[in-house]
Structures are given as C-alpha cells and as structure tokens.
Amino acid sequence: MLSERRLQVLRAIVQDYVGTEEPVGSKALTERHNLGVSPATVRNDMAALEDEGYIAQPHTSAGRIPTDKGYRLFVDKLAGVKPMTAPERRAIQNFLDGAVDLDDVVARTVRLLAQLTRQVAVVQYPSLTRSTVRHVELLSLAPARLMLVLITDTGRVEQRMVDCPAPFGEAALADLRARLNSRVASRRFTDVPRLVEDLPDAFEADDRGTVSTVLSTLLETLVEENEERLMIGGTANLTRFGHDFPLIIRPVLEALEEHVVLLKLLGEAGDSGMTVRIGHENAYEGLNSTSVVSVGYGSGGEAVAKLGVVGPTRMDYPGTMGAVRAVARYVGQILAES
Amino acid sequence: MLSERRLQVLRAIVQDYVGTEEPVGSKALTERHNLGVSPATVRNDMAALEDEGYIAQPHTSAGRIPTDKGYRLFVDKLAGVKPMTAPERRAIQNFLDGAVDLDDVVARTVRLLAQLTRQVAVVQYPSLTRSTVRHVELLSLAPARLMLVLITDTGRVEQRMVDCPAPFGEAALADLRARLNSRVASRRFTDVPRLVEDLPDAFEADDRGTVSTVLSTLLETLVEENEERLMIGGTANLTRFGHDFPLIIRPVLEALEEHVVLLKLLGEAGDSGMTVRIGHENAYEGLNSTSVVSVGYGSGGEAVAKLGVVGPTRMDYPGTMGAVRAVARYVGQILAES
DNA sequence: CCTGGCACTCTTCATATACGAGTGCCAGCG
DNA sequence: CGCTGGCACTCGTATATGAAGAGTGCCAGG
C-alpha cells in the first residue's frame, strides 16, 4: 500500500503533467507543490511509484509521466468531480433552453459539451427500448407502400418504409392504426412485441400478410444495433492531442466514424453513475491512447441514453467529469419538460 | 501565351508532385517523362512558368511545386476526367444498390466516395425546394400539439412539431390533411407557398389560428438554410494531408463541422457540371489549402443536390473527378428507381 | 532556340560537443 | 527508520561544423 505522501506525489504529477504536457521532475514538483519534503525524498517516492507501475519515464533521465494505471488511481482515489461554477451552469442552461426538438437538443448538447471540455463530444439519442411509445402512425404513400412512424415520449421520431405484399385498403389501414395505438400507446417499447403479436388475427386473410409485414418492420426498428443513434462533434479538438499526433489521431477519427464502435463502447460503460475508461481499458484498439468519460442521462431517475467525451488520456479528469455530469443533468431536465 | 512544351512541363510537374509529394526538379522531370529536351531547357521553361505564377519553389534550390494557379490550368486545360474502370463501376453499383431508404443511400454514398477518393466526402440531401411533394401528413400527438411530416419524391422525410394556439378537433384535422394533400401532392415545393396561402379561409374562425400555424411551420421548413442537410465522412483521410498538417487540419475539421459553411460552399459551385475549387478559390479561409470537387446529382436531368470531396490541393484531380462524377451518376439512378 | 557546362545556393544529414535536467545511490543526521 | 544533501552518471536537446547532393541561373556555343 502506498503511503499518503506518495499518493500526493502521484496527484501532483498528474496535475502538473496535465497542465504542462511535459514530463515532470522531482525538483519542479517540490517547487510547485509544498509537499514539505526535499526533491531527494520525492525521488524515492517516484521510484516506488514507478515500481508499482503508476508512472513511467519516457526516456532515462527525463521526468515521469503517469501511466494508465496512474490515471486510474488518480480518478478513483485522488480527485473528485469538479463542480461547475454558477455562471457555467447558467450558460449551459441558456444554451440548451432554446432547443426546439430532439435533434436540436442533441445537436446543441454535442456543441456544448465539445466547447466546455475542449474535447470530442459524443451524445447518444434516447434509446427506443428504454422509452415509451407516444404514438405510432401509418401513412399510405402508394397502394402497396406504407410509411411507419414511431414517436417516443422523449421526442424521438423514427420512420421506416414498408413494402406491402398486397394492396391495403384505407379502412384496413385506419383499423390497424387504431388497434396498434390502443395497444401500445404509453407502453414501454420493450413490451411492444408481446402486445402486438396476435394483431394479425383480427384482420381478414387478405390483409394479414401486410399487417405482419408492418409488425415485423416495427419490431426490426426496436432491435438493438439498429435503433441506437448518436451524434458527435468537436473533432477539431483532436488537434490538441500532442505533437506526435498524426499516428494517434487517425484511428481515433476512424473510430468516431464507426458509430457501431462508439455505441458498443458506451454500452459497456456502467449503466448508472459516471464511467471513465482510461487508455488501454478501452476495448477498441484505436482508442488505446484516449480516455472516454461517459454518463447516462434521462428524464426521470432512469437513464435513457448516454453521453460523454473522448480525449487524450492526459486530460483534466475532474473538470471533464464535472462538465459531463452537469450537461447530462440539464439534458435530462430538458427532456422531462418536453 | 505558354508554348505547348511548357504546358507539358507543367502537366509533368503536377503529376509528379501529386505522386511523390516532393518538389520536382528539372533533372527528375526529363528522366521520368520523355519530353525530348534537356534539363537545361526544362529549367528555362520552369523559370518562365514561375514568372507566370504557375509554380513556385518552397526554398531556393529545391524543386518546384504547382501553385493554385498552376493546378487551375492543369484542371482546365491539361487533364481530363479519368473514367472509372468497369470493375470499379460495378463495385459502385453493388455498394449502392443495397440501400433501403434515403438515409441509407446518403450514408452509403458518403462511405463509398470517401473510400474511392481517399478523401473527405460530402453529400447533400436532396433539396426540398427542388423536389416535389409526395405526401404531407399531420398527426395529433396531444390536444394542442401536432406533428407535421413532409415526404418528397426523392424519399426525404422531414418532421416538425407544431404547437397549436387552440385545440384542434379530429374532424378539422382530417379536413386540413385532405385539403393540404389535394393541393400540394405532386407539386413542386417552390409552388407550395402560393398553393396554400388561402387555406385558412376554408376553416371556421376557431381553427384558423391553428391552420395558419401549421402552414407557417410548413413554409419555415422550406426556407433555405433550414432545409438543406448534409452528411460527411472519411475525415480520417485528413491524416494523409502532409507532414505539416496539425496547422492545416484543424480549420478543415472546424469547417466540416460547420455544415452551414459547407452548404454555402456547395451552393456557390456551378449548378450544372463539375466544379473544382482550388485552394484560395474557396471563399472560406479554413479551406484555403484544400480543393473541393463537387457536382450536382439528381434523378432526372435536373440536379436535386450536390455531392463532392474535400482534399489537399495536391490531389489526383482526374481520378477524383472521375470518381465524383461516377458516384453522382449512380446515386441519381438509385433515386430515380425508388 | 536548344544544349552542355559551371559556379553558386541552400537544404539535409551526420558528427561532435557542450549543456542541463533529472536520476539513483549513499552516507549522515534527527 | 525516514529524510536530506551531495555527487557522479545518463541521456536527450541544442548548437556548431562540415560534407554531400540536389537544384538553380546564367552563359557561351551550336
């Protein structure tokens, strides 16, 4: 177990390195933080910390930098979440309050988060499977072509084309629409499959094919992988990565375009509370030199989706976590209001 | 006026520089291209080309690289559009044919274009104002809350929430829906404002407020700036920019996130045929070291939107133009089929 | 108008050297 | 036993120097 002072030394190393981007030496440490001990003592502590794998030196005779394990300890034990100041909170609220619909909320959230943290922001749309149905609509576009529109209580709207096996009359359409809504409105999406499974039985033989097609399209939209969407922003902040960045930045950009990868990443994060994945803790290789800070947000007590940021492992964790948490809170409020 | 040989020298410089990314000297030129003259002669030609501003040398006693003006001449006079090979064309078609809806078409197009050109791809959604109305739908979500859904012949779907000044009955809703569709279905979106302006008159006084609100929401969605959307992809290709790229790449990433900037850029491009904007020809400063190749696409003879790529000025123009043109053609076909 | 020759310019690369930051270790002190 | 100052050592960075090479501009001659 590490002594109290050694933990403080680690904390000081992380803070200085995050600030300066340069390996930090024993002398500089004692000057900038009053640890009450001499550089020689700090050197001993550093040697111990290095033995334990919390810090490393890029080259012999350079200062130390934290390892992923060092950041992990820092986040878990040595640092809290830095709360937003009152003016910052007001700014967040003002920025989000103008949103007119869900797309706008998500877009604004991405911008805001990117700006606050100066990192890449990732915001997931509210998951269908965690929302309730507000309305299901069926439009007839052509004799054998329908459009299915799903609307959730979180304001999300999904539409899908349905090619019917046979023409479908106006009367049957109205019937299906009414029955569908009476069964699923205000119900959770996860219950929908069970609630509609016997619907075709209520229709004439000629129409059952179409009804089944509509229902299977409906169920398809609820399948995970299909239903999750997200928006990213602030990629320009990747340029703040470091000097060596050409090699780092490319896989990160690639990962950011692979929404599936990001969704998986967010999915792996804990369901409640804030999750920080540091460097190699991220399963996806391209993100091995980044950290991902994410948290769920939702209108009530329950999270309907996640949001977060992706940045260099050398990031200001307390500040980033504070911003992410605050934004998630306000987004939740906005969703609850609408 | 430049002599024929000097133009060939310029062409050779552009080709070599694009290939090697290194300034090209007189000796290397005569070795790789059989111009039939000696390096000394080429040097004289180069001096002349430099006087005219077509090429420049990064440092004294280094080879020459083309200027924006040089690329311009190359594109206008010295190079054609390189057609896609038959297998490439088949691959394009296969890749696009699986698309299930417009979002999917656009997403696939972006991926395809980014992959073919190894540059950043930009694809605009079909413009509303250049499409015709397939269907307008009104859904009642709450007593005083409607949802307006617009569907175009190109498969684009836009939805907007409408907060009504007063509750709106089911009968009035059905009436409005029917009247609206009978007036605007199959008409061009640009005609819509004229076609609906007297609609409120047909309703009872109590409902006129709501009808007007619906109509003004409808008209709002048609305003340029609001109605245009686009998707980008392949940003990871920005890492292929050059060695100096941290300073170049940041403003480019910023521009790519500002869809308004990109839309303006595409808007300025010629309405028919392919447009190439080279370096400083781009009005937006952040894109001064990039070139933008864009072209309109559409189901019929008329373009409904544009697509293109953004890359370094040092790009393979003939190949890029060929890919952009081919993709635009196939996308047009796909849209016409659906 | 083209060509070969030639002197000149500059960048790049390798080598050598000095400098300094930072370390590890040790003996001594409280 | 832990902290401290001292000291020798390592090694990366910065600077200077020189050689090599690529490329140029210019000129005289064909």
Side-chain angles (χ1 to χ4, degrees):
Chain A
M1 192 47 204
L2 292 168
S3 76
E4 183 56 30
R5 196 191 56 227
R6 288 191 178 159
L7 292 177
Q8 283 188 26
V9 170
L10 177 57
R11 175 194 284 130
I13 291 172
V14 171
Q15 287 170 349
D16 278 19
Y17 182 63
V18 166
T20 63
E21 295 192 37
E22 268 167 23
V24 17
S26 56
K27 193 177 162 201
L29 255 199
T30 53
E31 283 167 2
R32 301 172 38 112
H33 307 262
N34 34 6
L35 297 167
V37 294
S38 76
T41 309
V42 171
R43 282 203 288 279
N44 288 329
D45 293 344
M46 282 173 147
L49 287 168
E50 184 164 11
D51 282 345
E52 303 285 335
Y54 294 110
I55 56 179
Q57 25 188 358
H59 323 281
T60 322
S61 107
R64 306 306 217 289
I65 63 176
T67 60
D68 289 352
K69 189 179 172 190
Y71 285 123
R72 166 55 55 205
L73 186 61
F74 176 81
V75 168
D76 287 346
K77 301 278 165 65
L78 303 176
V81 175
K82 188 169 136 210
M84 298 274 95
T85 65
E88 281 171 326
R89 285 210 295 269
R90 269 198 302 280
I92 294 175
Q93 197 150 20
N94 283 339
F95 194 83
L96 292 180
D97 268 347
V100 300
D101 63 13
L102 182 64
D103 277 315
D104 200 16
V105 170
V106 173
R108 281 169 187 251
T109 305
V110 165
R111 278 188 117 86
L112 178 63
L113 206 49
Q115 211 170 313
L116 281 175
T117 62
R118 307 199 61 178
Q119 279 156 188
V120 180
V122 180
V123 179
Q124 190 181 357
Y125 278 75
S127 148
L128 291 185
T129 50
R130 298 185 190 184
S131 310
T132 61
V133 184
R134 184 182 281 172
H135 193 83
V136 180
E137 186 62 35
L138 280 168
L139 314 182
S140 172
L141 297 184
R145 185 151 223 214
L146 301 177
M147 179 166 184
L148 176 68
V149 182
L150 283 181
I151 306 171
T152 76
D153 59 333
T154 46
R156 187 159 158 201
V157 182
E158 289 288 306
Q159 75 262 341
R160 293 284 272 256
M161 291 297 177
V162 184
D163 283 311
C164 313
F168 199 59
E170 265 306 320
L173 184 65
D175 190 20
L176 177 54
R177 178 160 39 208
R179 285 176 190 271
L180 209 45
N181 273 295
S182 76
R183 294 207 185 189
V184 302
S186 309
R187 310 303 287 271
R188 320 216 62 205
F189 271 98
T190 42
D191 297 332
V192 167
R194 186 172 47 77
L195 293 167
V196 301
E197 61 186 353
D198 63 342
L199 252 187
D201 303 343
F203 288 81
E204 310 219 346
D206 287 352
D207 291 334
R208 275 184 211 150
T210 295
V211 172
S212 299
T213 309
V214 169
L215 293 183
S216 64
T217 305
L218 173 58
L219 300 191
E220 261 171 36
T221 55
L222 300 180
V223 176
E224 208 154 354
E225 294 274 315
N226 280 344
E227 70 102 345
E228 312 223 6
R229 295 178 56 194
L230 50 75
M231 192 177 280
I232 69 166
T235 50
N237 290 324
L238 288 176
T239 55
R240 297 166 10 90
F241 236 82
H243 335 75
D244 51 345
F245 82 18
L247 292 171
I248 305 291
I249 207 177
R250 155 147 261 220
V252 177
L253 277 171
E254 279 167 358
L256 292 174
E257 289 204 347
E258 289 296 335
H259 288 189
V260 181
V261 169
L262 285 179
L263 286 168
K264 204 168 154 207
L265 211 66
L266 290 177
E268 284 167 0
D271 225 30
S272 66
M274 193 145 23
T275 301
V276 182
R277 296 236 169 239
I278 298 167
H280 291 80
E281 295 171 9
N282 290 300
Y284 185 75
E285 196 176 348
L287 297 178
N288 275 181
S289 42
T290 67
S291 287
V292 181
V293 177
S294 62
V295 68
Y297 71 89
S299 44
E302 199 188 359
V304 294
K306 290 178 185 150
L307 58 77
V309 303
V310 178
T313 51
R314 166 193 48 64
M315 70 163 68
D316 168 18
Y317 289 96
T320 303
M321 291 166 80
V324 168
R325 191 175 68 185
V327 169
R329 234 172 238 167
Y330 283 104
V331 173
Q333 281 182 23
I334 300 276
L335 286 183
E337 286 166 14
S338 64
Chain B
M1 193 45 206
L2 291 169
S3 76
E4 183 56 31
R5 196 192 55 229
R6 288 191 178 161
L7 292 177
Q8 283 188 25
V9 169
L10 177 57
R11 174 195 284 129
I13 291 173
V14 171
Q15 286 171 348
D16 278 19
Y17 182 62
V18 167
T20 64
E21 295 192 39
E22 270 168 22
V24 17
S26 55
K27 192 176 163 204
L29 256 200
T30 54
E31 282 166 4
R32 301 172 40 111
H33 307 261
N34 35 4
L35 297 166
V37 292
S38 76
T41 308
V42 171
R43 280 204 287 281
N44 287 329
D45 292 344
M46 282 174 147
L49 286 167
E50 184 164 10
D51 282 346
E52 302 285 337
Y54 293 109
I55 56 178
Q57 24 188 359
H59 322 283
T60 321
S61 106
R64 306 304 218 289
I65 63 176
T67 60
D68 290 352
K69 190 179 172 189
Y71 286 122
R72 168 54 56 205
L73 186 60
F74 176 81
V75 169
D76 287 346
K77 301 277 164 61
L78 303 176
V81 174
K82 187 169 140 213
M84 297 275 95
T85 65
E88 281 172 327
R89 285 211 293 270
R90 269 198 303 280
I92 293 175
Q93 199 150 21
N94 282 340
F95 194 82
L96 292 180
D97 268 348
V100 299
D101 63 12
L102 182 64
D103 276 315
D104 200 16
V105 170
V106 173
R108 281 168 186 253
T109 305
V110 165
R111 277 187 117 86
L112 178 63
L113 206 49
Q115 211 170 311
L116 281 175
T117 62
R118 307 198 61 177
Q119 279 155 188
V120 180
V122 180
V123 179
Q124 190 180 357
Y125 277 75
S127 149
L128 290 186
T129 50
R130 298 185 190 183
S131 310
T132 61
V133 183
R134 183 182 281 172
H135 192 84
V136 179
E137 186 62 36
L138 280 168
L139 314 182
S140 173
L141 296 184
R145 184 151 223 212
L146 302 177
M147 178 166 193
L148 175 68
V149 181
L150 282 181
I151 306 171
T152 77
D153 59 334
T154 46
R156 186 159 157 201
V157 181
E158 290 288 305
Q159 75 262 341
R160 293 283 273 255
M161 290 296 176
V162 185
D163 282 312
C164 312
F168 199 59
E170 266 306 318
L173 183 64
D175 191 19
L176 177 55
R177 179 161 37 208
R179 286 175 189 271
L180 209 46
N181 273 295
S182 75
R183 294 208 184 188
V184 301
S186 309
R187 310 303 288 269
R188 319 216 61 206
F189 271 98
T190 42
D191 297 331
V192 168
R194 188 171 46 75
L195 292 166
V196 301
E197 61 185 354
D198 62 341
L199 253 186
D201 302 344
F203 287 80
E204 309 220 346
D206 287 353
D207 291 334
R208 274 183 210 152
T210 294
V211 172
S212 299
T213 308
V214 169
L215 293 183
S216 64
T217 305
L218 173 58
L219 300 190
E220 262 170 36
T221 56
L222 301 179
V223 176
E224 207 155 356
E225 297 274 316
N226 279 344
E227 70 104 343
E228 313 222 356
R229 295 178 55 195
L230 50 76
M231 193 178 281
I232 69 167
T235 50
N237 290 324
L238 288 176
T239 54
R240 297 169 6 93
F241 235 82
H243 332 76
D244 50 344
F245 81 17
L247 292 172
I248 305 291
I249 206 179
R250 157 146 260 224
V252 178
L253 276 170
E254 279 167 358
L256 292 175
E257 289 204 347
E258 289 296 333
H259 288 190
V260 181
V261 169
L262 285 180
L263 287 168
K264 205 168 152 204
L265 211 66
L266 290 177
E268 284 168 0
D271 225 27
S272 66
M274 194 146 22
T275 302
V276 182
R277 297 234 169 241
I278 299 168
H280 291 80
E281 295 170 8
N282 290 300
Y284 184 76
E285 197 176 347
L287 297 178
N288 276 180
S289 42
T290 67
S291 288
V292 181
V293 177
S294 63
V295 67
Y297 71 89
S299 43
E302 201 187 359
V304 294
K306 290 177 186 152
L307 57 77
V309 303
V310 179
T313 51
R314 167 194 48 67
M315 69 163 68
D316 168 19
Y317 289 96
T320 303
M321 290 166 80
V324 168
R325 192 175 65 183
V327 169
R329 236 173 237 167
Y330 284 103
V331 174
Q333 281 182 23
I334 301 276
L335 286 183
E337 285 165 17
S338 63

